[in-house]
Structures are given as C-alpha cells and as structure tokens.
Amino acid sequence: DFLTYTNATLDHLDQSTLVGTASYCDHHITRVYVDTAHQGRGYGTFLMNCLEQKIACNYDTAILDASLP
C-alpha cells in the first residue's frame, strides 16, 4: 500500500524564521509543532485547520494522537 505522507511548514510572515511544522499520513495527523517563542498566536490552529481540510478531501474522520513533552 502506498501511503500519502505530507509535511507542511509555516514561516513567519516578516522574517525567514520557521515557527511551526505539521504532517499527516492518510487520515492520521502524525505531528504538529509550534516553536515555544511563537505559541499563542494562532499558528497551531492554522496548521491543524490546514491538515483537517486536506484530510477531509478523502476521509470522513481524522485521527490525532497527543503527547506532551
């Protein structure tokens, strides 16, 4: 079986600083990370919305496993 694996990165708009990243495989959200210096500004929400929209094109549900560092 071929698995679709996609990564998305989010660059800060006025700087070339990577502030977050997210990835999914099929309908499983495998990773969402926002740098601590940029948390609380909606970047994580934006990344999750992007992943959910992409997954919804082919699946009715998404799976998310959560863990804290």
Side-chain angles (χ1 to χ4, degrees), residues 20-53:
T21 185
S23 59
Y24 72 98
C25 180
D26 295 327
H27 65 293
H28 184 199
I29 297 172
T30 57
R31 179 171 310 184
V32 177
Y33 172 79
V34 176
D35 182 66
T36 55
H38 296 91
Q39 291 178 1
R41 300 180 188 177
Y43 294 124
T45 300
F46 177 78
L47 289 169
M48 286 295 296
N49 287 339
C50 289
L51 292 178
E52 289 173 354
Q53 288 176 7

